[in-house]
Amino acid sequence: MAGVLSGLKRLYLTIYNWTVFVGWLQVFFLAVKTLKESGHQHVYDAVEKPLLLAQSAAILEIIHGLVGLVRSPVSATLPQIGSRLYVAWGILWSFPEVRTHVLVSSLVISWSITEIIRYSFFGTKEAFGSAPSWLLWLRYSTFLLLYPTGITSEVGLIYNALPFIKESAKYSVLMPNKWNFSFDYYYAAFVVLGSPHMYTYMLGQRKKALSKSKKE
């Protein structure tokens, strides 16, 4: 029975990882194609649907961690997934004024390359029990460049959205109201601005994974 459940878990995680891989591959292809043919102003419109779908699928990774399907700590995945969902839905989808900014292109390309590598790595590992050394190296090395470019793009887009957030008061709850409660989406945006937590976590994971690979 345990073997059957283990097999089903691996099958599910294999399908999940490769399905989301295809989604991010589509995002990358459309972003590069649009950037080349039409310019950065049109990148968001080209990638919106697959981007929101692929990024929203990451919510399942939090559930995977909570129920024990994967070993990744929720404390590590939640901040990254939460901040990305905030940028995808709470900034780009909610405030069209920032969609034509050049940072959208650097954001989408940084995210998509990172996720293409990550999902192919875990998809291969679940399907075959291990991943080739070159893919392992890419998984734990490319973030050294892609995390800074991604987080810089996130912070830049949030900063550029601040005037529109303040002017529109969208998602804010103003006083007075029957709940006697207030929430200012403008100030909440400052809380979401980048943290080095995920970068330092990945540095530790890189050292651990690559040293293990050398021993093997």
Side-chain angles (χ1 to χ4, degrees), residues 4-23:
V4 173
L5 291 175
S6 177
L8 288 174
K9 183 186 84 168
R10 286 186 61 181
L11 177 62
Y12 163 74
L13 289 175
T14 299
I15 294 171
Y16 167 78
N17 281 293
W18 284 112
T19 300
V20 185
F21 164 84
V22 170

Side-chain angles (χ1 to χ4, degrees), residues 52-161:
L52 293 175
L53 187 60
Q55 189 55 64
S56 298
I59 295 172
L60 289 173
E61 293 177 38
I62 300 172
I63 299 172
H64 295 165
L66 287 172
V67 301
L69 275 179
V70 296
R71 290 181 294 177
S72 300
V74 176
S75 60
T77 56
L78 185 58
Q80 183 190 30
I81 293 171
S83 65
R84 282 193 174 194
L85 287 170
Y86 171 76
V87 173
W89 288 100
I91 298 296
L92 293 175
W93 184 79
S94 300
F95 299 95
E97 297 89 344
V98 299
R99 294 178 185 174
T100 56
H101 199 283
V102 67
L103 287 175
V104 173
S105 299
S106 57
L107 175 86
V108 169
I109 291 173
S110 296
W111 279 8
S112 58
I113 294 175
T114 297
E115 301 299 35
I116 286 168
I117 293 169
R118 187 167 73 91
Y119 284 109
S120 62
F121 171 77
F122 286 115
T124 302
K125 198 172 179 182
E126 290 295 340
F128 303 105
S130 63
S133 58
W134 61 268
L135 188 53
L136 183 142
W137 185 88
L138 286 174
R139 162 70 180 120
Y140 290 105
S141 298
T142 51
F143 81 93
L144 293 168
L145 172 64
L146 295 173
Y147 186 89
T149 57
I151 201 71
T152 300
S153 302
E154 291 176 30
V155 171
L157 287 168
I158 294 172
Y159 177 79
N160 277 278

